Amino acid sequence: SQQGEEDPQALSIQEGENATMNCSYKTSINNLQWYRQNSGRGLVHLILIRSNEREKHSGRLRVTLDTSKKSSSLLITASRAADTASYFCATPNYGGSQGNLIFGKGTKLSVKP
Amino acid sequence: DAGVTQSPTHLIKTRGQQVTLRCSPKSGHDTVSWYQQALGQGPQFIFQYYEEEERQRGNFPDRFSGHQFPNYSSELNVNALLLGDSALYLCASSFRENQPQHFGDGTRLSIL
């Protein structure tokens, strides 16, 4: 079964706009990660946010975590066509191990030039 | 510095056959995890290897087995292939089990 559920399933925006994706999870976590996957490729780690953090930035990415609502959001600012990809949230399954991650179904982002 | 490499990139098999997929971890990494990603879904954890032993296992039948070699590379073996085994198989590596993982581009397995 999948822990995280991303919302929306698909998102289409114009270049320069901001994109926001949400993730909800079911059990207590000590961290949450976001990954990007270009079509037919492997996953690329974007950012990790720990349970004691509420917000984290990395370049054009901003991630928030609300442990009381068991939810996280990923904001991509000033989107580019190269941001077109699927985005997944993931949480560790056993005791915080990063090697056993539970992924959601992902949000498919399309950025039009 | 090579990242995670997987071979082959594509593979076509028929039901009942057996398949072996290979993974070389990123330089400096000693832990390898395998995931199965069906079309339109997120990856699902199969198992993790560290120090040549299976450390954790997901909800996959015994038809799925693996191995890790002394050089940290790993193999995923699937026996008695079913149509439902058609998927992208991803290998991920890290240094120890508590660091973010680096993924390979996967092996696309099609079962006819």
Side-chain angles (χ1 to χ4, degrees), chain A residues 1-2 33 35 37 40-45 48 88 93-106, chain B residues 33 35 37 40-45 47-48 56-57 88 90 94 97-106 108:
Chain A
S1 65
Q2 294 185 300
Q33 302 175 51
Y35 285 82
Q37 185 177 36
R41 302 296 298 273
L43 283 78
V44 174
H45 181 262
L48 180 151
F88 297 89
N93 196 2
Y94 295 121
S97 167
Q98 306 308 326
N100 179 352
L101 294 175
I102 304 177
F103 288 85
K105 292 184 179 181
Chain B
S33 298
Y35 292 81
Q37 186 177 23
Q41 302 292 315
Q44 288 205 301
F45 175 76
F47 41 54
Q48 179 188 62
Q56 299 183 57
R57 188 178 182 92
L88 179 68
L90 296 163
S94 65
E97 60 176 4
N98 278 318
Q99 300 299 318
Q101 296 176 84
H102 293 247
F103 281 80
D105 282 340
R108 173 72 62 189

